[in-house]
Each structure stands twice: as structure tokens, then as C-alpha cells.
Amino acid sequence: MENRKLDEKKINIILGCLLLTFLASLPLFTDFLLCGADLQYQLLRIEALKDGLREAGLTLWAKPNWVEPKGFSFAFFYGDTFLYIPALFRLAGADVQMSYRMFLVLINGATAFGSFAAFRKIFRDDYTGLLGSALYTMSVYRVFLLYAEAEVGEVLALVFLPFVLAGVCVIFGREGGEQKYGWLWLSLGLSGMLRSHILSFVIGILLLAVLTAVYASSLKKAEVWKQIGMGSAAFLLLNIGYVYAMVQYVRTGGFVVNPVSGVPIQDKGVQIVQLFMAFYQAGGNREFGAQGVGDAAPVGLGLVFLAAVMVFCYFVFVYGDFFEKEEKKRGYAALGTGLAACFMSCVCFPWDSVLKWSGLTSSLVSMIQAPWHFLQAALLVFTMLGCITYRMAGKKYGKVSGRIYGIVLAGLGCFSSSYLVANLLFYYDFVRIRMGEEIWVPIAEEGEEAVLPVLASGLQIFPADGIWYGLTAVSVLTLAGCFVYMLRNKCWSRGKE
């Protein structure tokens, strides 16, 4: 009888994650694509990989005929590891629009199931993991990136960001044998982010540094350093072929890089009011500081996370002694990190002043492009805060009341993002790409600046050598070993962790 209940519970969790995947993918069940800011670029990347697989196999790193035609090295600056999936769809006969659509459905599914596994690992509870998956997968910010911006690289990075948090919580927040799988979560999370979006990877490293500082007292333990060492070694092995290709490409290819120093970004930050709104509408303006929120891009976190912040503050200030010290510490860390990330994403953060400090800060700030990228860190930690308040509500008012609160919280998050999706479908620009139609390739006209900021200098195909093939095999075998290790030991389970 007990096994039957467990099976029913697993089925319910799977159905819940599939429902989240369906809800997040609703805009894809059309005969058109929402015309996100980077949609054309993402489709071109898929086409480039498809052509590259035909022309040069897996060795293509720069797309020929892009810009003058020197070739744009998207594989170097925007990891294309996961874009091989839609490229293979193209080779199988699907048109570019259908390939892109199927790929986004897979991304939504990976986000729903992956974030469930990560938050379940953190809290050791199925329903808390499902709540975390709902808040994270159906967040306004992720929907904004997926459809309004077509930021495929950053959305892919968001699939792996919860793994980093799970690794930190296991390594620093557990004792003894319970820490032994932390290195695996951490290395897989950082590797996935590196191969998806470089800026997101840097933000993930910054978040990792902040959380390490919060748990600095745990650095005295030998087991923690063992996990950090194993995670670093696994990360290197998982990406050694990728890193070697980067080094070789720099050594043999060279680059023409347009200057990105001294570009102000503060006006591209969001207004505070945009962070926690209930209703987000389609828009495209990013100069929020200059033009307010009229016709602004629908970027923010949503009212659900403001509710989570308020509930947490209520519990700790009114019933503080009722809850465990470690639970409150975790909540304070999530609250502080989330508010700091929100502040860095806003127009009120003095990015333009930081930009003027030195040549180094000028380049670093300019490369951020838009401060709202820091909202991905806020999204992660505020999702964790929502899970914490769910567990606090259950402890204080009973399991039934806690679950009602969790359902309300998840429903509020789904409502905000669904409202945004409906608004985008009705009022946003769209595009239809028929089979056989060519996609425009950016080519700089004579005497004009190139459309893309970073270009490969004349090298069109990366000349892979025997070492590259060998190191790539090491990366693939390491990844396979990690999955076998996970399956054999069930490191996501609640029992023997």
C-alpha cells in the first residue's frame, strides 16, 4: 500500500512538471513566432550550425559569410552546445520555425524538471520542489526572456542556475555524508551555464561568491574543501575540450573587436515599480530612465515574489522564536541577495558613475549591456525564499494551511506570467518563416560599422586537431560518467543523500 502511494506521488509530480511545461510553452502552439528582439539572430545561429554540420562536421566555430564576410564566432562568445539540438531537427527535415519551437518546448521541460530536482534536493521535500519549479518556470522574467527578447542563451543558463544553488546548499549546509553529492550539482550547473551564456556564467560565479561568503564559517571543514576540489576538477574535465578550442581559436584566428568601453547602461535599468507588478504588458523601450515605463519592455519579477518577501518578514518579525535559526539564516541570505540583485538591476544603481572609475570598470560595465540581467540571480533566490515561506507556513499553521498557501503562491505566479503571455500574443509583433525562405544575414556595408560587436578575423572554420578530439572525448565521457553516477546513486533522492 505504501509503495502504491509513493508511485502515485511520483506520477503527480511528473504530471505537475509536464503541466508547467505546457503552460510555459503555450505561445509556441501557433503558426508564427513572437518577434523577440534577438529572434533573427537565434534562427541564424541554428541555420549556421545546420550548414556547418554539412560542411565541416562538429568543427565549425565561425559562420562563413557573416560581416564582410569574415565570419562571426558565435560558438566562442555564445556557447552553441545545446543549439545542436534544433540544428539536428533541421537536418532531419523540420523547417527552422518548427525546429526553434520544438527546442523552446524542450527548454521549458528541462527548466520545469531540473528546477524541481534542484529545489527538492535543497529542501528534501517533493511538494516544496514542485512549488519551486512552478515559481521559477512560470516567472515573469523567464517568460520575458523567452518570448519578448528571444534570449535563448540566457534562458538556457537559467535551466542550470538552480543546480548551482543546490550544490552550494548541499556543500555548505549539510553535514558528513550528506555533502557527498554537492560537487556534482555544482559542476553540472556551472558547466551548463558556461556553454549557454557567458554573462550568465559570470553572474552565477558572483552569486556563488556571495553565498560562499554567507557560509564562510563552513570553509573550516575539510569535507567542504574536498567537495570544492572535486567540483572544480569535474568542471575542468567537463569543459576541457571547450576551453582548449577557445585557446586554439584565439591563438590561430585572432579577432576584430569593436570597442565596448565607455557605453553608459544606467538608463537601461528597470524602474523599481517594474520589479513587482501584477500586470505586465507588451513593450519594447529599454531606456527606462529617460522615458519612464510607457511602452517599456515587460521586465520584472512579478507580484508573487513581493508577496513572498512580505510573508517572510511577517514570520520572522512576529513569530521569530518559533522557527529554527538555520531556516531564518537561509531566508535572510535569500532576502538580502535578492534585494541586492534587484538594486543592481535598477536605474537608481550608479552604473554610470562606476563606469568612470577607470578603464577597467568602463569596459566591464559596458559589457553588461543591460542591468536587468542581474534579475536572474534575484529570481533564483526569491524562488528559494518562496519555498522557505511555504515551509514556515506549514510549520506554523499546519500542513493543510501551508499547502493552501503554496497553491495560492504558485497560482499568483502563473497568473502574472500567463497575463503577460496573452498580452504578447495579442499586441506583440510576430513573424512567419516558411520552408525555403532565406533569413537575412548581417553584412556590414563598406564604410559602416559591423552590426555585430565581436567578429572573427578571416577564420571561417576552426581547424580541429587530434588533441581537440581527444579532450572533447574526455568531456563527453566525464558527462556520461556523471549521469551514470547520478542514476546509480539516485543523488536527487530524499533518502540516503
Side-chain angles (χ1 to χ4, degrees):
M1 191 71 178
E2 186 177 349
N3 289 336
R4 183 179 176 183
K5 287 183 178 179
L6 287 175
D7 291 338
E8 289 177 354
K9 190 175 184 180
K10 289 180 180 178
I11 292 172
N12 290 336
I13 293 297
I14 292 173
L15 290 176
C17 290
L18 289 175
L19 176 61
L20 291 173
T21 303
F22 173 74
L23 291 175
S25 303
L26 275 176
L28 302 173
F29 300 111
T30 61
D31 67 338
F32 58 85
L33 294 174
L34 288 171
C35 196
D38 289 343
L39 175 64
Q40 183 173 266
Y41 174 61
Q42 307 301 347
L43 297 181
L44 279 167
R45 293 174 67 193
I46 295 172
E47 289 297 277
L49 274 181
K50 182 259 294 181
D51 294 339
L53 287 170
R54 285 177 175 168
E55 297 170 9
L58 297 174
T59 63
L60 185 78
W61 269 60
K63 172 58 182 170
N65 302 324
W66 279 42
V67 193
E68 294 187 345
K70 294 177 180 177
F72 176 53
S73 182
F74 56 80
F76 187 99
F77 298 97
Y78 299 88
D80 64 357
T81 301
F82 301 103
L83 284 185
Y84 280 97
I85 297 173
L88 291 174
F89 290 156
R90 289 286 288 125
L91 290 176
D95 61 65
V96 65
Q97 183 170 289
M98 180 58 70
S99 299
Y100 182 74
R101 188 180 295 144
M102 291 189 294
F103 183 49
L104 293 193
V105 172
L106 291 177
I107 291 176
N108 288 331
T111 304
F113 283 93
S115 57
F116 162 74
F119 288 109
R120 184 183 188 275
K121 182 69 177 179
I122 293 170
F123 294 99
R124 291 184 274 196
D125 178 71
D126 288 331
Y127 292 117
T128 308
L130 188 58
L131 173 62
S133 177
L135 295 177
Y136 191 79
T137 304
M138 294 300 296
S139 63
V140 168
Y141 181 66
R142 208 185 74 87
V143 169
F144 159 73
L145 290 176
L146 196 61
Y147 300 116
E149 289 294 298
E151 283 272 5
V152 172
E154 190 168 349
V155 173
L156 277 169
L158 287 177
V159 174
F160 298 95
L161 187 57
F163 289 20
V164 177
L165 181 63
V168 170
C169 290
V170 171
I171 292 173
F172 293 105
R174 305 281 173 87
E175 296 292 336
E178 292 186 342
Q179 295 173 304
K180 64 181 180 179
Y181 299 118
W183 65 271
L184 185 57
W185 288 93
L186 191 60
S187 59
L188 288 176
L190 291 176
S191 297
M193 295 185 73
L194 175 65
R195 291 172 174 266
S196 301
H197 193 236
I198 297 297
L199 178 58
S200 297
F201 172 73
V202 174
I203 292 175
I205 293 294
L206 292 175
L207 179 63
L208 179 60
V210 170
L211 296 176
T212 301
V214 171
Y215 290 98
S217 59
S218 299
L219 293 174
K220 300 176 182 178
K221 302 174 182 177
E223 181 63 26
V224 170
W225 283 105
K226 177 183 176 182
Q227 290 293 314
I228 293 174
M230 291 174 64
S232 301
F235 173 78
L236 179 61
L237 290 174
L238 285 167
N239 301 285
I240 191 167
Y242 184 73
V243 173
Y244 175 78
M246 284 186 172
V247 173
Q248 284 291 84
Y249 196 54
V250 170
R251 186 178 65 84
T252 62
F255 296 99
V256 176
V257 182
N258 286 347
V260 291
S261 179
V263 180
I265 67 169
Q266 191 164 334
D267 279 349
K268 296 178 182 177
V270 299
Q271 300 282 357
I272 294 176
V273 68
Q274 290 179 276
L275 292 174
F276 303 111
M277 294 168 60
F279 304 100
Y280 291 86
Q281 300 187 23
N285 163 44
R286 294 183 190 164
E287 301 296 331
F288 303 136
Q291 302 180 40
V293 296
D295 194 34
V299 56
L301 296 173
L303 186 62
V304 61
F305 294 112
L306 179 60
V309 169
M310 294 172 66
V311 170
F312 176 75
C313 292
Y314 171 77
F315 279 141
V316 295
F317 290 128
V318 178
Y319 303 108
D321 295 337
F322 184 82
F323 302 103
E324 297 177 2
K325 181 180 178 181
E326 184 61 31
E327 190 172 32
K328 290 187 290 184
K329 178 183 177 182
R330 184 181 285 184
Y332 282 130
L335 178 61
T337 305
L339 292 178
C342 286
F343 179 49
M344 294 175 72
S345 71
C346 289
V347 293
C348 51
F349 190 85
W351 285 113
D352 290 353
S353 297
V354 176
L355 180 127
K356 298 175 183 177
W357 287 356
S358 66
L360 176 62
T361 59
S362 179
S363 297
L364 292 176
V365 169
S366 298
M367 285 189 289
I368 295 173
Q369 297 180 331
W372 45 258
H373 288 298
F374 288 97
L375 287 179
Q376 58 183 280
L379 167 62
L380 179 70
V381 294
F382 279 152
T383 300
M384 182 176 178
L385 189 67
C387 293
I388 290 172
T389 60
Y390 163 71
R391 295 176 67 82
M392 295 173 94
K395 290 180 181 178
K396 179 61 183 175
Y397 299 113
K399 185 177 292 186
V400 174
S401 298
R403 289 187 178 173
I404 292 174
Y405 166 74
I407 292 172
V408 170
L409 206 61
L412 186 59
C414 290
F415 173 78
S416 290
S417 59
S418 297
Y419 180 88
L420 171 58
V421 163
N423 197 270
L424 289 171
L425 287 172
F426 279 108
Y427 300 109
Y428 215 56
D429 292 335
F430 64 91
V431 62
R432 288 186 178 93
I433 303 174
R434 304 300 183 186
M435 181 72 79
E437 290 183 350
E438 290 189 5
I439 306 173
W440 177 79
V441 177
I443 299 179
E445 299 293 338
E446 186 175 353
E448 295 182 2
E449 289 190 4
V451 178
L452 299 170
V454 188
L455 315 173
S457 180
L459 187 65
Q460 295 185 352
I461 297 178
F462 174 72
D465 54 25
I467 298 177
W468 181 81
Y469 284 111
L471 294 179
T472 301
V474 170
S475 296
V476 173
L477 290 174
T478 303
L479 179 63
C482 287
F483 281 117
V484 170
Y485 184 79
M486 291 174 68
L487 291 172
R488 289 189 63 183
N489 296 279
K490 296 182 180 180
C491 68
W492 60 83
S493 65
R494 184 177 49 186
K496 294 181 180 180
E497 297 189 78

